[in-house]
Every structure is written in structure tokens, then in C-alpha cells.
Amino acid sequence: MLAVFAFVLGSLIGSFLNVVIYRLPAGISVVWPRSRCPHCGHILSPSELVPILSWVLQGGKCKSCQAPISARYPAVEALTALLFAAAALLRPVFPDLLFIWAFIALLIALSFIDIDTKTLPNSLNFAGILLGLLGAGLVGYPQDFPQAVDSGLMGAGLVALFAGFGGLLYNRLKDGPREGPFGLHLVHLAAMVGAWGGMLGTV
Ligand SMILES: [Zn+2]
């Protein structure tokens, strides 16, 4: 039962993540205005907003203008739904599960925004760090608070070190202005994953 509930909840959250993935990097509010077809501007009705099913029933096309709708929308919804259900099966404990779901949602949003824009918005990174510390502080899950602070700082520190060292190698061991594949956003991401570090061990 819990897994079925988790699947439905996950598909709804996935639908919201589609909005976040599209709007957050563009600097548009994620709650307003209502979702529209990007081709014809037709405002989507409730029957067109049912996760996964609307896309399937409409044959992947806008109801109004018949323009194709990317299969990525139902894919993100299905992925979120499946991961939510899997988490519910692996750890059917509250409030732990709420934190796992939040972490899954954050990672999906970050992954797709990274694919689209090659950036990791700090608003999501810092929300993740905060949630990780909050979970640790309030319920001691996935690890206790001192551990969460420790591993968060260690994750950030390690990536910062690798960034410095990687930059040095990238510049063929000449010191100078740092260039390379690492950015500060990766340090933030590492801090977030670190703050959640115990999860992999406990799930
Ligand atoms: Zn349309």
C-alpha cells in the first residue's frame, strides 16, 4: 500500500520537478503562471496535467495545437515515481522516508538542470545542505548532527582540493588563474551529498 501511495506521490512530485527543471534556470517563478503549451500558449487543464497518463492518452501531443510534447516529461514523472516507491519499500519508516523523498527530488531536479544548462543552481544545493542538516538535527537520520556537519565539510573540502589540484594539472602544472572542469557549484554539491552522507549506508 505504502509503495503504491509513494508511486502516485512521486509522479505528482515529478510533474512539479518538470516545472522546476524548466523554469528555475530561466528565472521564472515555479508556482506562477500556470503551465502552458510552449508552442501555442494554451493553458493546460487539469485533465492534461495528470502525470504520465495525460501524455500517453494524448499520444505525446498538445491537445490544442497537436505539437509534439517531449517524452522527457512523462519520463521524469515515471523516474520520480519509481524511486519514491523503491525508497518506500527499502525504508518504510517515518519521518525518515520524507527526507529520502526530498533528497531524491532534489537530485533529479539537479541532474536534469545540469544536463540542460551545465549549471547546478545554488538555491537547490543550499536547500539540500539545509535539509540534510535538518534531518540530522531533528531526527538523527540519515546520520547524527555532528556527523552531518563533518561529512558535509569534508565533502566540500575534498572537492575544493581536487578542484585546485585538477586546475593545476589542467594548466599543465603552471600556476596561475584557475581553469578547469571544476566550479564552486560542485563544492556546494559535495557539501550537500556529504550532509546526507550516511544515507547510502543506512538505506
Ligand atoms: Zn499547443
Side-chain angles (χ1 to χ4, degrees), residues 53-69:
L53 285 181
S54 290
W55 188 89
V56 172
L57 293 176
Q58 290 167 216
K61 289 185 179 117
C62 169
K63 224 175 182 176
S64 170
C65 72
Q66 303 297 313
I69 301 167

PDB file of all heavy atoms in Angstrom, residues 53-69:
ATOM      1  N   LEU A  53      -0.050   9.682 -17.421  1.00  0.00           N
ATOM      2  CA  LEU A  53      -1.243   9.272 -18.177  1.00  0.00           C
ATOM      3  C   LEU A  53      -1.646  10.289 -19.250  1.00  0.00           C
ATOM      4  O   LEU A  53      -1.973   9.904 -20.379  1.00  0.00           O
ATOM      5  CB  LEU A  53      -2.422   9.054 -17.221  1.00  0.00           C
ATOM      6  CG  LEU A  53      -2.369   7.773 -16.385  1.00  0.00           C
ATOM      7  CD1 LEU A  53      -3.598   7.652 -15.508  1.00  0.00           C
ATOM      8  CD2 LEU A  53      -2.248   6.557 -17.312  1.00  0.00           C
ATOM      9  N   SER A  54      -1.629  11.598 -18.907  1.00  0.00           N
ATOM     10  CA  SER A  54      -2.052  12.605 -19.888  1.00  0.00           C
ATOM     11  C   SER A  54      -1.213  12.501 -21.155  1.00  0.00           C
ATOM     12  O   SER A  54      -1.737  12.521 -22.268  1.00  0.00           O
ATOM     13  CB  SER A  54      -1.907  14.020 -19.306  1.00  0.00           C
ATOM     14  OG  SER A  54      -2.864  14.236 -18.313  1.00  0.00           O
ATOM     15  N   TRP A  55       0.084  12.368 -20.947  1.00  0.00           N
ATOM     16  CA  TRP A  55       0.992  12.306 -22.103  1.00  0.00           C
ATOM     17  C   TRP A  55       0.673  11.076 -22.954  1.00  0.00           C
ATOM     18  O   TRP A  55       0.599  11.161 -24.187  1.00  0.00           O
ATOM     19  CB  TRP A  55       2.443  12.261 -21.618  1.00  0.00           C
ATOM     20  CG  TRP A  55       3.455  12.389 -22.732  1.00  0.00           C
ATOM     21  CD1 TRP A  55       3.992  13.545 -23.234  1.00  0.00           C
ATOM     22  CD2 TRP A  55       4.038  11.315 -23.487  1.00  0.00           C
ATOM     23  NE1 TRP A  55       4.869  13.263 -24.238  1.00  0.00           N
ATOM     24  CE2 TRP A  55       4.921  11.903 -24.425  1.00  0.00           C
ATOM     25  CE3 TRP A  55       3.912   9.932 -23.464  1.00  0.00           C
ATOM     26  CZ2 TRP A  55       5.674  11.137 -25.329  1.00  0.00           C
ATOM     27  CZ3 TRP A  55       4.645   9.170 -24.369  1.00  0.00           C
ATOM     28  CH2 TRP A  55       5.521   9.780 -25.283  1.00  0.00           C
ATOM     29  N   VAL A  56       0.455   9.934 -22.296  1.00  0.00           N
ATOM     30  CA  VAL A  56       0.177   8.680 -23.009  1.00  0.00           C
ATOM     31  C   VAL A  56      -1.154   8.798 -23.760  1.00  0.00           C
ATOM     32  O   VAL A  56      -1.251   8.488 -24.954  1.00  0.00           O
ATOM     33  CB  VAL A  56       0.146   7.490 -22.022  1.00  0.00           C
ATOM     34  CG1 VAL A  56      -0.326   6.224 -22.728  1.00  0.00           C
ATOM     35  CG2 VAL A  56       1.517   7.276 -21.395  1.00  0.00           C
ATOM     36  N   LEU A  57      -2.210   9.265 -23.046  1.00  0.00           N
ATOM     37  CA  LEU A  57      -3.547   9.329 -23.649  1.00  0.00           C
ATOM     38  C   LEU A  57      -3.606  10.329 -24.802  1.00  0.00           C
ATOM     39  O   LEU A  57      -4.374  10.156 -25.749  1.00  0.00           O
ATOM     40  CB  LEU A  57      -4.593   9.676 -22.584  1.00  0.00           C
ATOM     41  CG  LEU A  57      -4.811   8.586 -21.520  1.00  0.00           C
ATOM     42  CD1 LEU A  57      -5.790   9.041 -20.444  1.00  0.00           C
ATOM     43  CD2 LEU A  57      -5.294   7.293 -22.172  1.00  0.00           C
ATOM     44  N   GLN A  58      -2.795  11.389 -24.726  1.00  0.00           N
ATOM     45  CA  GLN A  58      -2.795  12.394 -25.790  1.00  0.00           C
ATOM     46  C   GLN A  58      -1.800  12.044 -26.894  1.00  0.00           C
ATOM     47  O   GLN A  58      -1.575  12.842 -27.816  1.00  0.00           O
ATOM     48  CB  GLN A  58      -2.451  13.774 -25.216  1.00  0.00           C
ATOM     49  CG  GLN A  58      -3.548  14.352 -24.344  1.00  0.00           C
ATOM     50  CD  GLN A  58      -3.084  15.552 -23.530  1.00  0.00           C
ATOM     51  OE1 GLN A  58      -3.493  15.737 -22.397  1.00  0.00           O
ATOM     52  NE2 GLN A  58      -2.207  16.371 -24.109  1.00  0.00           N
ATOM     53  N   GLY A  59      -1.198  10.849 -26.779  1.00  0.00           N
ATOM     54  CA  GLY A  59      -0.250  10.400 -27.800  1.00  0.00           C
ATOM     55  C   GLY A  59       0.967  11.301 -27.897  1.00  0.00           C
ATOM     56  O   GLY A  59       1.561  11.443 -28.965  1.00  0.00           O
ATOM     57  N   GLY A  60       1.345  11.922 -26.766  1.00  0.00           N
ATOM     58  CA  GLY A  60       2.534  12.774 -26.766  1.00  0.00           C
ATOM     59  C   GLY A  60       2.358  14.064 -27.531  1.00  0.00           C
ATOM     60  O   GLY A  60       3.339  14.635 -28.020  1.00  0.00           O
ATOM     61  N   LYS A  61       1.085  14.509 -27.654  1.00  0.00           N
ATOM     62  CA  LYS A  61       0.834  15.745 -28.415  1.00  0.00           C
ATOM     63  C   LYS A  61      -0.001  16.722 -27.606  1.00  0.00           C
ATOM     64  O   LYS A  61      -0.800  16.325 -26.753  1.00  0.00           O
ATOM     65  CB  LYS A  61       0.079  15.425 -29.701  1.00  0.00           C
ATOM     66  CG  LYS A  61       0.913  14.706 -30.734  1.00  0.00           C
ATOM     67  CD  LYS A  61       0.124  14.542 -32.024  1.00  0.00           C
ATOM     68  CE  LYS A  61       0.969  13.847 -33.083  1.00  0.00           C
ATOM     69  NZ  LYS A  61       0.417  12.555 -33.483  1.00  0.00           N
ATOM     70  N   CYS A  62       0.159  18.022 -27.885  1.00  0.00           N
ATOM     71  CA  CYS A  62      -0.682  19.042 -27.263  1.00  0.00           C
ATOM     72  C   CYS A  62      -2.113  18.846 -27.751  1.00  0.00           C
ATOM     73  O   CYS A  62      -2.362  18.664 -28.942  1.00  0.00           O
ATOM     74  CB  CYS A  62      -0.191  20.443 -27.624  1.00  0.00           C
ATOM     75  SG  CYS A  62      -1.346  21.754 -27.162  1.00  0.00           S
ATOM     76  N   LYS A  63      -3.071  18.898 -26.808  1.00  0.00           N
ATOM     77  CA  LYS A  63      -4.474  18.683 -27.127  1.00  0.00           C
ATOM     78  C   LYS A  63      -4.998  19.763 -28.073  1.00  0.00           C
ATOM     79  O   LYS A  63      -5.887  19.538 -28.893  1.00  0.00           O
ATOM     80  CB  LYS A  63      -5.293  18.729 -25.832  1.00  0.00           C
ATOM     81  CG  LYS A  63      -6.353  17.656 -25.686  1.00  0.00           C
ATOM     82  CD  LYS A  63      -6.953  17.814 -24.303  1.00  0.00           C
ATOM     83  CE  LYS A  63      -8.012  16.764 -24.017  1.00  0.00           C
ATOM     84  NZ  LYS A  63      -8.506  16.900 -22.627  1.00  0.00           N
ATOM     85  N   SER A  64      -4.424  20.960 -27.931  1.00  0.00           N
ATOM     86  CA  SER A  64      -4.940  22.105 -28.675  1.00  0.00           C
ATOM     87  C   SER A  64      -4.292  22.255 -30.060  1.00  0.00           C
ATOM     88  O   SER A  64      -4.984  22.384 -31.060  1.00  0.00           O
ATOM     89  CB  SER A  64      -4.734  23.365 -27.834  1.00  0.00           C
ATOM     90  OG  SER A  64      -4.995  24.504 -28.578  1.00  0.00           O
ATOM     91  N   CYS A  65      -2.947  22.220 -30.114  1.00  0.00           N
ATOM     92  CA  CYS A  65      -2.275  22.503 -31.391  1.00  0.00           C
ATOM     93  C   CYS A  65      -1.590  21.286 -31.999  1.00  0.00           C
ATOM     94  O   CYS A  65      -1.008  21.388 -33.078  1.00  0.00           O
ATOM     95  CB  CYS A  65      -1.265  23.638 -31.225  1.00  0.00           C
ATOM     96  SG  CYS A  65       0.203  23.175 -30.286  1.00  0.00           S
ATOM     97  N   GLN A  66      -1.639  20.132 -31.300  1.00  0.00           N
ATOM     98  CA  GLN A  66      -1.058  18.882 -31.815  1.00  0.00           C
ATOM     99  C   GLN A  66       0.457  18.906 -31.922  1.00  0.00           C
ATOM    100  O   GLN A  66       1.047  17.993 -32.502  1.00  0.00           O
ATOM    101  CB  GLN A  66      -1.645  18.530 -33.210  1.00  0.00           C
ATOM    102  CG  GLN A  66      -3.162  18.405 -33.238  1.00  0.00           C
ATOM    103  CD  GLN A  66      -3.660  17.270 -32.349  1.00  0.00           C
ATOM    104  OE1 GLN A  66      -3.143  16.169 -32.397  1.00  0.00           O
ATOM    105  NE2 GLN A  66      -4.642  17.563 -31.503  1.00  0.00           N
ATOM    106  N   ALA A  67       1.100  19.943 -31.374  1.00  0.00           N
ATOM    107  CA  ALA A  67       2.566  19.942 -31.382  1.00  0.00           C
ATOM    108  C   ALA A  67       3.061  18.827 -30.475  1.00  0.00           C
ATOM    109  O   ALA A  67       2.460  18.563 -29.444  1.00  0.00           O
ATOM    110  CB  ALA A  67       3.092  21.295 -30.895  1.00  0.00           C
ATOM    111  N   PRO A  68       4.162  18.148 -30.864  1.00  0.00           N
ATOM    112  CA  PRO A  68       4.664  17.055 -30.018  1.00  0.00           C
ATOM    113  C   PRO A  68       5.177  17.573 -28.671  1.00  0.00           C
ATOM    114  O   PRO A  68       5.774  18.639 -28.596  1.00  0.00           O
ATOM    115  CB  PRO A  68       5.801  16.448 -30.840  1.00  0.00           C
ATOM    116  CG  PRO A  68       6.172  17.476 -31.839  1.00  0.00           C
ATOM    117  CD  PRO A  68       4.961  18.323 -32.082  1.00  0.00           C
ATOM    118  N   ILE A  69       4.919  16.812 -27.606  1.00  0.00           N
ATOM    119  CA  ILE A  69       5.414  17.138 -26.265  1.00  0.00           C
ATOM    120  C   ILE A  69       6.527  16.159 -25.938  1.00  0.00           C
ATOM    121  O   ILE A  69       6.361  14.947 -26.120  1.00  0.00           O
ATOM    122  CB  ILE A  69       4.279  17.011 -25.219  1.00  0.00           C
ATOM    123  CG1 ILE A  69       3.127  17.940 -25.571  1.00  0.00           C
ATOM    124  CG2 ILE A  69       4.817  17.318 -23.816  1.00  0.00           C
ATOM    125  CD1 ILE A  69       1.853  17.652 -24.777  1.00  0.00           C
TER     126      ILE A  69
END
